[in-house]
């Protein structure tokens, strides 16, 4: 397995394999995909595959972690409190735009893996990541339970499900809206919740 994942050749090869996997999942579902048909789809040798991954599920797991890490990287660039200090009802927060740009750049992956033929375990991983991000939200942590009209864990679950639902609907309807428009919608919904709950 290659150690230097920043090598452009490694990055390109891994992307080709990831894209081929998504194409096969859309065609036939996850079960039963072989390394041979995957490498044929990607136009690569089987030996090249084994330089990077043990098997199909190793490719699936590593690609999911890479996609989730991209979300973490964007989220790490902004303080959660920054969303509370300014109102982003006309111009969405730059990090929100970057997040939807990331989803757009990787739309085939996210749409496939979250879709009916994708990995049923991935939505749970995405929810867990979002839950981690909420746990780092200082405004949410500082809010008193009395300020939240429903139990805190239910409130967080609601927001997480809404975010994923918004994303899936964007994919399912052909991504007509730009990342900026999606970020603006997301911010307006978030601000609406903030006005209701006090944070």
């Amino acid at each position: 397995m290659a150690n230097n994942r920043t090598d452009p050749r490694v990055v390109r090869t891994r992307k080709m394999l990831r894209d081929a996997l998504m194409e096969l999942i859309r065609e036939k579902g996850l079960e039963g995909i072989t390394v041979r048909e995957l490498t044929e789809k990607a136009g690569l040798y089987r030996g090249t595959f084994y330089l990077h991954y043990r098997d199909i599920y190793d490719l699936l797991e590593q690609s999911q972690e890479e996609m989730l890490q991209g979300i973490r990287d964007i989220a790490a660039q902004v303080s959660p409190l920054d969303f509370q200090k300014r109102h982003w009802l006309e111009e969405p927060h730059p990090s929100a735009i970057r997040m939807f740009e990331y989803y757009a750049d990787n739309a085939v992956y996210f749409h496939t893996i979250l879709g009916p033929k994708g990995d049923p375990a991935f939505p749970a991983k995405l929810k867990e990541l979002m839950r981690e991000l909420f746990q780092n939200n200082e405004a949410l942590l500082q809010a008193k339970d009395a300020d939240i009209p429903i139990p805190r864990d239910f409130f967080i679950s609601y927001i997480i499900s809404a975010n994923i639902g918004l994303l899936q609907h964007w994919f399912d309807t052909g991504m007509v809206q730009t990342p900026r428009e999606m970020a603006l919608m997301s911010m307006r919904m978030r601000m609406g919740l903030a006005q209701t709950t006090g944070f």
Side-chain angles (χ1 to χ4, degrees):
M1 191 172 297
N3 291 322
N4 186 5
R5 295 186 182 180
T6 60
D7 184 324
R9 293 169 299 179
V10 172
V11 172
R12 178 176 177 273
T13 297
R14 291 170 69 91
K15 185 179 186 305
M16 290 171 67
L17 290 168
R18 186 177 68 224
D19 290 349
L21 178 62
M22 293 303 105
E23 192 171 338
L24 286 170
I25 289 175
R26 289 196 306 275
E27 290 175 5
K28 57 181 290 186
L30 180 58
E31 297 298 324
I33 295 175
T34 66
V35 172
R36 170 174 286 182
E37 63 184 335
L38 176 72
T39 50
E40 287 178 355
K41 179 75 71 174
L44 298 169
Y45 295 109
R46 292 181 66 191
T48 302
F49 175 90
Y50 289 112
L51 288 174
H52 301 275
Y53 306 104
R54 292 188 305 273
D55 52 31
I56 295 294
Y57 289 96
D58 187 33
L59 164 59
L60 181 68
E61 184 175 340
Q62 288 196 43
S63 64
Q64 288 181 3
E65 181 52 37
E66 289 168 5
M67 292 294 104
L68 293 174
Q69 187 58 48
I71 296 173
R72 290 189 193 98
D73 291 343
I74 296 171
Q77 296 172 11
V78 62
S79 166
L81 286 176
D82 193 29
F83 285 97
Q84 314 304 321
K85 292 176 181 175
R86 296 179 61 182
H87 295 280
W88 304 96
L89 297 179
E90 299 303 326
E91 182 61 36
H93 193 286
S95 69
I97 298 176
R98 282 197 298 273
M99 190 69 78
F100 279 100
E101 287 174 342
Y102 178 74
Y103 286 131
D105 291 342
N106 297 282
V108 171
Y109 184 89
F110 283 108
H111 193 197
T112 301
I113 207 71
L114 288 169
K117 292 184 179 180
D119 180 7
F122 185 75
K125 292 181 181 180
L126 183 56
K127 286 181 179 181
E128 183 58 32
L129 171 58
M130 290 183 174
R131 191 173 300 278
E132 289 175 17
L133 297 177
F134 273 111
Q135 288 174 347
N136 293 329
N137 187 319
E138 297 175 43
L140 180 57
L141 293 174
Q142 291 172 5
K144 298 177 181 178
D145 287 337
D147 296 331
I148 306 175
I150 62 174
R152 188 181 302 257
D153 57 332
F154 280 85
F155 180 77
I156 292 174
S157 294
Y158 174 79
I159 296 174
I160 290 171
S161 296
N163 285 336
I164 293 176
L166 182 70
L167 187 62
Q168 288 179 307
H169 186 69
W170 187 38
F171 292 145
D172 291 342
T173 55
M175 299 175 66
V176 175
Q177 294 80 10
T178 66
R180 182 192 175 280
E181 289 171 330
M182 291 302 298
L184 186 59
M185 269 194 283
S186 176
M187 295 300 299
R188 286 176 174 173
M189 285 188 280
R190 181 175 301 186
M191 294 305 294
L193 283 172
Q195 291 172 2
T196 302
T197 62
F199 63 87

